[in-house]
Amino acid sequence: MKILFCSSEMVPFAKTGGLADVSGALPQALEKKGCLVKVALPKYKGIKVPGKIARLGEAIDVFLIENEQYFNRSGLYGEAGGDYDDNLLRFSFFCQQVLDLLKQQNFCPDIIHCNDWQSALIPVYLKTKLNQDDFFKQTKTIFTIHNLAYQGLFAKEQFPQTNLDWSLFNMQALEFYNQVNLLKGGLLFADFITTVSPTYAQEIQLPKFGCGLDGVLRQRKENLSGIINGLDYTAWNPATDDKIFQKYGPGNLELKAVNKKGLQRELNLTEDENIPLFGIVTRLAEQKGIELIISALEKMAKQKLQFVLLGTGDNKYHEALELIKQKKYKNFSINLRFDATLAQKIYAGCDIFLMPSNYEPCGLGQLISLKYGTIPVVRKTGGLADTVEDYQSKTGQGNGFVFEEYSGKKMFQAIERSMAVYKKRNQWLKLMRRAMQYDFSWAASAEKYIKLYRQALNER
Ligand code: ADP
């Protein structure tokens, strides 16, 4: 099967978020399963590769779409907190160039797998301008939503920049409350739609999570499914992690304590092996449930626990957390910055990881913390609901602590439950071992994508 994977960011070339991790890992996992995969990406300023084709892994061609004026800039989508005002032009160009290039290279994919609004016009072009084109006659499209909140919205006046006919500016195509909505185009014109967890695939069909597109998603529900993201265990593994104080695995879990001690020392927390150490590594955004954390902090400060936060994001949260920081609680360490090394030390050194998200398409934090034996406390939503199962002390089932209602009170109750189990050392050890054994590698998810590709090609 020949696949073109199309994305606006990809590790190790360009990254602003989780899409880059998926785009760097999934094509390689597909290739390992026998697919012939090529990928397409804009050639941003930071990509210092000579020529138009780079390599992902050993053998995957990366078509770099060049345009001095559009892509030779410091940002991917914008700078200094604002979006570039020609993003519609930039990504319409990207999508058209990708299709042109396939012809030039005479690479006719069975599947073009598009991701988020930046490549959403590809299915639209294929089903409209190119629907009589013999080259793409057999090609099917898959469109993956990584976060429905980002839709690629533009003013109506800019619509001609897509090079599409005005007849497509209507409610059953790209029009959305009198604006251009690229994501909506992907949802309506792709053969199949996926998103990054089964629960999120259900949630986005509800008005509460649908970001205005729940109706469109319900209309396409027969062709909509959720496939959980994998985690790259070559990058995230406590047994091989060079950034942490001490490598460890399920077989020598006692060594995890070295990481706890190292982290406590580095963050000026009392070095105490027996106090439960809670961690959170996050964007400071509404999505992540930061309100719940902030509302619970005063109460947590009085408990026999330690708490470390690492995060950056919205100003309002920086301000609120600065105020808490000024209170100098001895059992808190609040770090308002991006720091990949400290993040790894937190995953390795903490006992419990907090992820009380308001919504969560998939989430990586809980997958990483499970692998590091750091037990997640999560809200039951999206990918968190699909990967963390509430611990039952009677049966020993489960791998974390789950609460449902979006409230500080319910989150705190889950925290208390985790502390109660933490005190029972043997139970906790078993829980850690169990958590570390869950397999969320890319291989299983790649298999599911291949099954869907076959379905799209009618080869079930
Ligand atoms: P999202 O992509 O929505 O932000 P995920 O849970 O899918 O959330 O992925 C977040 C990733 O970014 C995780 O690997 C997390 O460790 C990392 N991360 C988030 N904030 C920080 C930070 N301030 N410093 C270091 N790493 C961070």
Side-chain angles (χ1 to χ4, degrees):
M1 204 177 332
K2 289 194 279 183
I3 295 154
L4 179 80
F5 192 90
C6 208
S7 177
S8 58
E9 46 186 275
M10 186 176 299
V11 165
F13 302 103
K15 172 167 175 169
T16 70
L19 170 60
D21 298 302
V22 176
S23 307
L26 176 57
Q28 301 195 59
L30 291 168
E31 192 211 26
K32 283 205 187 87
K33 298 212 170 275
C35 300
L36 173 61
V37 193
K38 296 181 190 281
V39 298
L41 177 76
K43 189 171 186 183
Y44 301 108
K45 192 176 187 172
I47 304 180
K48 307 281 184 220
V49 178
K52 293 183 180 173
I53 300 184
R55 270 288 152 83
L56 177 69
E58 306 263 291
I60 299 178
D61 284 337
V62 181
F63 297 135
L64 297 168
I65 304 300
E66 275 183 306
N67 183 305
E68 189 58 31
Q69 189 195 339
Y70 294 157
F71 299 127
N72 196 16
R73 304 181 185 178
S74 2
L76 269 53
Y77 318 124
E79 280 168 50
D83 287 342
Y84 294 130
D85 54 19
D86 58 352
N87 273 344
L88 181 58
L89 207 52
R90 296 170 76 226
F91 288 99
S92 299
F93 172 85
F94 172 66
C95 292
Q96 292 171 88
Q97 285 292 303
V98 167
L99 295 169
D100 282 353
L101 189 86
L102 290 173
K103 284 186 170 181
Q104 281 164 31
Q105 297 277 332
N106 198 23
F107 180 68
C108 180
D110 300 302
I111 298 286
I112 302 185
H113 188 155
C114 301
N115 296 277
D116 283 351
W117 65 265
Q118 295 90 342
S119 50
L121 282 175
I122 288 181
V124 184
Y125 291 135
L126 285 173
K127 288 262 167 73
T128 58
K129 287 159 77 88
L130 297 171
N131 68 347
Q132 300 298 323
D133 193 315
D134 272 352
F135 188 82
F136 293 113
K137 212 165 57 194
Q138 310 290 344
T139 301
K140 300 289 180 193
T141 52
I142 307 289
F143 182 74
T144 299
I145 307 161
H146 295 263
N147 189 335
L148 192 63
Y150 302 93
Q151 301 183 353
L153 289 175
F154 302 94
K156 176 182 179 179
E157 296 66 46
Q158 286 180 280
F159 184 73
Q161 296 174 4
T162 60
N163 276 327
L164 290 165
D165 193 273
W166 269 110
S167 64
L168 289 165
F169 191 77
N170 76 65
M171 253 179 77
Q172 271 313 311
L174 280 86
E175 189 262 347
F176 182 74
Y177 299 100
N178 210 32
Q179 284 191 296
V180 186
N181 186 326
L182 295 188
L183 188 104
K184 186 178 173 192
L187 298 183
L188 285 168
F189 287 86
D191 293 304
F192 282 85
I193 305 165
T194 71
T195 187
V196 290
S197 68
T199 296
Y200 193 57
Q202 295 304 315
E203 288 173 342
I204 56 180
Q205 296 178 46
L206 306 170
K208 188 175 167 208
F209 293 97
C211 304
L213 290 172
D214 45 295
V216 175
L217 288 157
R218 283 196 300 276
Q219 183 185 326
R220 297 231 50 205
K221 67 172 186 237
E222 300 300 324
N223 291 39
L224 164 65
S225 61
I227 299 177
I228 201 91
N229 283 338
L231 179 67
D232 179 0
Y233 288 131
T234 59
W236 296 102
N237 183 347
T240 54
D241 190 329
D242 287 326
K243 298 278 163 43
I244 61 178
F245 294 98
Q246 169 68 55
K247 292 176 190 160
Y248 64 97
N252 52 6
L253 252 184
E254 66 285 355
L255 295 178
K256 186 169 159 59
V258 181
N259 288 293
K260 180 168 179 177
K261 207 169 174 181
L263 185 66
Q264 286 168 329
R265 188 176 323 136
E266 182 166 319
L267 300 176
N268 287 321
L269 294 166
T270 310
E271 286 175 44
D272 179 347
E273 199 175 322
N274 296 316
I275 192 164
L277 175 52
F278 285 79
I280 179 164
V281 180
T282 184
R283 279 189 291 121
L284 299 175
E286 209 167 320
Q287 176 196 338
K288 299 294 178 182
I290 308 303
E291 267 97 4
L292 299 196
I293 298 284
I294 290 172
S295 75
L297 283 180
E298 297 285 347
K299 215 162 151 190
M300 283 171 73
K302 296 190 191 98
Q303 302 287 316
K304 213 171 163 324
L305 60 79
Q306 292 176 334
F307 171 72
V308 44
L309 177 143
L310 173 63
T312 51
D314 297 353
N315 276 337
K316 63 173 179 186
Y317 298 129
H318 275 256
E319 283 161 19
L321 289 164
E322 259 322 324
L323 286 177
I324 304 271
K325 211 173 152 173
Q326 280 161 18
K327 298 195 175 167
K328 298 197 180 352
Y329 293 120
K330 270 179 127 157
N331 56 340
F332 280 12
S333 166
I334 294 179
N335 308 276
L336 302 175
R337 61 176 194 273
F338 191 93
D339 184 338
T341 305
L342 180 57
Q344 274 160 273
K345 290 177 180 167
I346 291 174
Y347 287 116
C350 287
D351 300 299
I352 299 158
F353 190 78
L354 289 177
M355 216 160 153
S357 304
N358 188 10
Y359 75 92
E360 193 62 75
C362 176
L364 274 180
Q366 85 281 19
L367 302 182
I368 301 172
S369 71
L370 284 169
K371 182 70 182 173
Y372 282 68
T374 303
I375 303 305
V377 171
V378 308
R379 199 177 89 75
K380 190 174 185 176
T381 184
L384 297 172
D386 293 326
T387 54
V388 183
E389 197 191 328
D390 198 38
Y391 178 71
Q392 307 293 325
S393 49
K394 283 205 183 95
T395 59
Q397 292 287 313
N399 58 359
F401 297 88
V402 182
F403 65 99
E404 206 158 333
E405 188 187 295
Y406 187 73
S407 75
K409 192 172 153 209
K410 291 290 173 193
M411 181 187 75
F412 196 76
Q413 284 172 0
I415 288 175
E416 283 180 319
R417 277 199 293 131
S418 71
M419 291 204 291
V421 181
Y422 178 80
K423 280 189 194 137
K424 300 174 186 155
R425 286 312 288 169
N426 279 338
Q427 263 194 45
W428 192 260
L429 264 171
K430 273 194 199 146
L431 174 56
M432 283 200 282
R433 278 203 194 96
R434 224 179 117 76
M436 293 172 91
Q437 262 133 28
Y438 276 72
D439 180 12
F440 294 107
S441 61
W442 271 108
S445 303
E447 201 61 66
K448 295 199 172 108
Y449 279 108
I450 291 173
K451 213 170 145 202
L452 179 70
Y453 299 158
R454 293 222 169 92
Q455 190 183 345
L457 296 167
N458 273 322
E459 290 175 7
R460 264 188 256 199

